[in-house]
Amino acid sequence: MGGKWLELLKQIAPGVTRVAVIRDPATPQGIGQFSAVQSLAPSLGLDVSPVNAREPGEIERTIPAIAQTPNSGLIVTGSNFAVVHRELIIKLANQYKLPAVYPLRLFAAAGGFDLLWG
């Protein structure tokens, strides 16, 4: 699934060259999804970097820093942490106008696609 997210991000924001991947390093899916993104990135001409998120302060510091780098985008991997903190992640991604791809429909319901569609 992670590779598809990367392709989707490139489709919705063709100028993206750097992608930060928010993941919970304590969960297998965070590690596996990042690996899938990382393996596909070179074929799309993208640099990817993991953002290990264990507490909300890491999100509050990281998303503004990502946004300062031109042509950046964001992928959020599936985890309980991401679900619990989805409103913060979405708010900051929208505030800093970062194109983002989220793992679950409930992110869209919480405003995750405002930047793209509205």
Side-chain angles (χ1 to χ4, degrees):
M1 193 63 161
K4 291 291 182 190
W5 294 335
L6 194 59
E7 291 172 348
L8 178 61
L9 182 61
K10 193 65 175 168
Q11 287 176 1
I12 62 176
V16 166
T17 57
R18 294 172 190 86
V19 180
V21 181
I22 294 179
R23 66 180 186 172
D24 181 347
T27 64
Q29 67 263 34
I31 304 297
Q33 291 166 353
F34 177 75
S35 293
V37 168
Q38 190 175 33
S39 67
L40 182 62
S43 69
L44 296 174
L46 298 170
D47 293 322
V48 298
S49 58
V51 175
N52 293 328
R54 294 176 197 93
E55 54 96 11
E58 290 172 317
I59 295 168
E60 292 169 341
R61 289 185 298 276
T62 301
I63 290 180
I66 294 164
Q68 289 182 358
T69 304
N71 304 317
S72 292
L74 182 68
I75 291 176
V76 180
T77 63
S79 70
N80 288 339
F81 177 84
V83 170
V84 168
H85 299 292
R86 69 186 175 277
E87 291 180 5
L88 174 63
I89 294 167
I90 291 165
K91 177 186 135 209
L92 291 171
N94 288 347
Q95 177 182 341
Y96 289 97
K97 302 192 182 325
L98 274 175
V101 174
Y102 301 99
L104 300 167
R105 185 178 304 175
L106 66 109
F107 282 79
F113 290 106
D114 286 353
L115 175 64
L116 304 174
W117 311 117

